[in-house]
Amino acid sequence: MDVIGRLSFFASLYNVHEQPTKGMWLLYATIVVLSIIVYRLGFARELPLLKNVIIYSLLVLGCTILTFFAVFLPVAEGLLVAAIVLIIYKWRLRREGENTA
């Protein structure tokens, strides 16, 4: 069974198969950062500080589970694509707002 061939792009990029501790931490950090970007661009609202702390704490906790899936499934890659799509959407929305004003 070829485990190295089944790794996702980011898992193989971070050498999870050679350096599991360092690779998993880097994969976890990537997923957390991408999740925060996607949340901020697509779903975030203006909330009080305590609610923001709770939301981000649960987001970071959920990313722990996603990291284990991300070794063999394209979780980080999907988050990257979602972030790119949302960045393009926000950019075009802002550009349309400037043209109409």
Side-chain angles (χ1 to χ4, degrees), residues 14-48:
Y14 297 142
N15 291 326
V16 171
H17 58 285
E18 293 175 4
Q19 300 173 346
T21 305
K22 180 182 175 187
M24 288 299 281
W25 279 110
L26 288 172
L27 187 60
Y28 177 69
T30 302
I31 290 174
V32 167
V33 168
L34 288 172
S35 295
I36 289 172
I37 291 171
V38 168
Y39 171 72
R40 295 282 300 171
L41 288 173
F43 306 104
R45 294 184 178 167
E46 195 67 36
L47 296 173

Side-chain angles (χ1 to χ4, degrees), residues 4 6 17-18 57 64 70 73 84:
I4 297 171
R6 294 181 56 209
H17 58 285
E18 293 175 4
S57 299
T64 304
L73 299 174
I84 290 170

